[in-house]
Amino acid sequence: MPARAANPTHRLIPAPAGRIHLVEQGTGPMVLLVHGFPESWYSWRHQLPALAAAGYRAVAVDVRGYGRSSRPGDVAAYRMRELVADNVAVVRALGEESAAVVGHDWGAGIAAHSALLEPEVFRAVGMLSVPYTPPGGPRPTEAFARMGGDDEFYVSYFQRPGRAEAEIEPDVRGWLAGLYAALSADTMPAPGAPDPHFVGRGGTMRERFPGGRLPAWLGEEDLDVYAGEFERTGLTGALNRYRNMDRDWEDLTDLHGAPVTQPSLFAGGRKDASTMWLSDAIDAYPATLPGLTSCHLLDDCGHWVQQERPAEVNRILTDWLGALPS
């Protein structure tokens, strides 16, 4: 049994973004943890001590544009190849040759592309909530524009700089609380209610968020952490990831249709729209993730899987990591 892990340590390291803020805990093989939108390193607060106690060096980053990491002003600085370069820089700056990489939401895509682009550095990849789909297919903004009928898909809503910021930034805490509740199993809108992933004509996202209580996984102090970071940084850096989907589609033409061949893991919530809409992508895993060794759909779980079900996700991760080739 590994010794009790030391407390987590915050560090700033040089990276192509300028600097990356990270939190690390434990010693042993490195596991790089990459968050999604709209979160931060803090979304891995339950996994850091669990992975450290299991004998791993757990490292959770603030993706560029978030928290204490750099926030470049150029929208194109948030393209996928740049984010992968940040991940490589973190591994190298910490003196490691390789790492397993695990991501949630947008972080799942960043993790998968890290494995695709830098297979010598990222020896295994775990994806939470958002299933892997190989690069390619139709141009993303054109595909999203066809979704929703008279309503507008949230990814399309995020495309124009300043538009979503104008909705969110006057009340960051309230908007985050609403989004977290909208996508959590215990507080999401009832079946048949307007879908919070879509925006009505001339409307806002928050009009479809549920009111009232916070989801069970989110305490007031947790919400304070998330809101405090975004109140300080604004949302533009985080939203710029969505504004690069067409650039990524063009940048990654050499990888269109490419499988991830490293040992891989997927875990998602059965009540998460991501797993329901992309069920065909999960069915395609024998071809797209030929190295898949662990796949889990958690009952009564929404989008924020490692926060809604921390103990179960910790067990899934440590079992998967423990079975990887040394």
Side-chain angles (χ1 to χ4, degrees):
M1 177 72 70
R4 186 176 184 274
N7 290 331
T9 301
H10 292 253
R11 298 177 64 173
L12 295 173
I13 62 102
R19 70 178 180 277
I20 291 291
H21 169 244
L22 61 85
V23 181
E24 65 173 318
Q25 189 169 2
T27 58
M30 181 173 166
V31 183
L32 181 65
L33 303 170
V34 186
H35 67 80
F37 176 89
E39 301 175 273
S40 74
W41 76 267
Y42 188 74
S43 65
W44 301 104
R45 62 195 178 279
H46 303 296
Q47 285 67 53
L48 285 164
L51 292 173
Y56 297 96
R57 185 183 191 182
V59 178
V61 297
D62 279 336
V63 174
R64 71 165 66 186
Y66 290 80
R68 293 168 60 192
S69 293
S70 290
R71 300 187 301 280
D74 182 8
V75 173
Y78 297 85
R79 64 213 309 164
M80 185 62 76
R81 287 185 181 271
E82 298 284 349
L83 301 178
V84 171
D86 287 344
N87 283 352
V88 173
V90 169
V91 176
R92 297 288 185 244
L94 295 181
E96 303 285 356
E97 292 297 321
S98 66
V101 59
V102 179
H104 170 254
D105 183 74
W106 258 124
I110 298 169
H113 284 82
S114 296
L116 282 173
L117 291 164
E118 298 288 347
E120 297 303 314
V121 179
F122 298 103
R123 64 188 183 93
V125 57
M127 291 155 282
L128 304 183
S129 296
V130 176
Y132 176 64
T133 55
R139 181 178 290 272
T141 55
E142 294 175 358
F144 294 134
R146 293 194 292 268
M147 296 177 64
D150 291 337
D151 292 340
E152 184 178 20
F153 192 46
Y154 79 99
V155 177
S156 299
Y157 180 71
F158 285 167
Q159 291 302 307
R160 189 172 76 237
R163 184 186 183 195
E165 289 94 325
E167 173 186 342
I168 302 167
E169 291 180 357
D171 177 21
V172 169
R173 194 176 194 279
W175 193 90
L176 291 175
L179 181 67
Y180 295 149
L183 307 187
S184 296
D186 60 332
T187 49
M188 62 178 51
D195 190 332
H197 295 88
F198 293 87
V199 181
R201 294 285 180 183
T204 62
M205 286 184 68
R206 70 184 307 152
E207 291 171 356
R208 296 185 174 185
F209 293 166
R213 64 189 177 93
L214 295 177
W217 63 267
L218 183 70
E220 295 286 351
E221 292 183 357
D222 300 319
L223 181 57
D224 287 343
V225 172
Y226 286 125
E229 290 291 80
F230 287 112
E231 286 167 354
R232 180 175 58 81
T233 65
L235 271 291
T236 296
L239 290 163
N240 279 345
R241 173 83 287 273
Y242 291 91
R243 296 164 184 161
N244 277 277
M245 299 181 78
D246 281 355
R247 287 189 182 92
D248 294 339
W249 183 79
E250 295 166 356
D251 285 348
L252 300 168
T253 54
D254 58 322
L255 292 173
H256 281 194
V260 171
T261 59
Q262 291 97 318
S264 58
L265 168 148
F266 177 75
R270 288 192 185 275
K271 290 189 173 182
D272 186 0
S274 297
T275 58
M276 292 185 280
W277 290 342
L278 294 173
S279 60
D280 288 349
I282 296 173
D283 292 341
Y285 279 171
T288 62
L289 293 178
L292 184 72
T293 57
S294 183
C295 187
H296 307 265
L297 290 176
L298 307 185
D299 293 331
D300 298 317
C301 184
H303 183 67
W304 318 103
V305 57
Q306 78 270 32
Q307 298 177 89
E308 291 187 54
R309 303 284 281 277
E312 194 166 353
V313 170
N314 291 347
R315 178 186 56 77
I316 288 169
L317 288 175
T318 53
D319 287 352
W320 172 69
L321 291 164
L324 293 177
S326 59

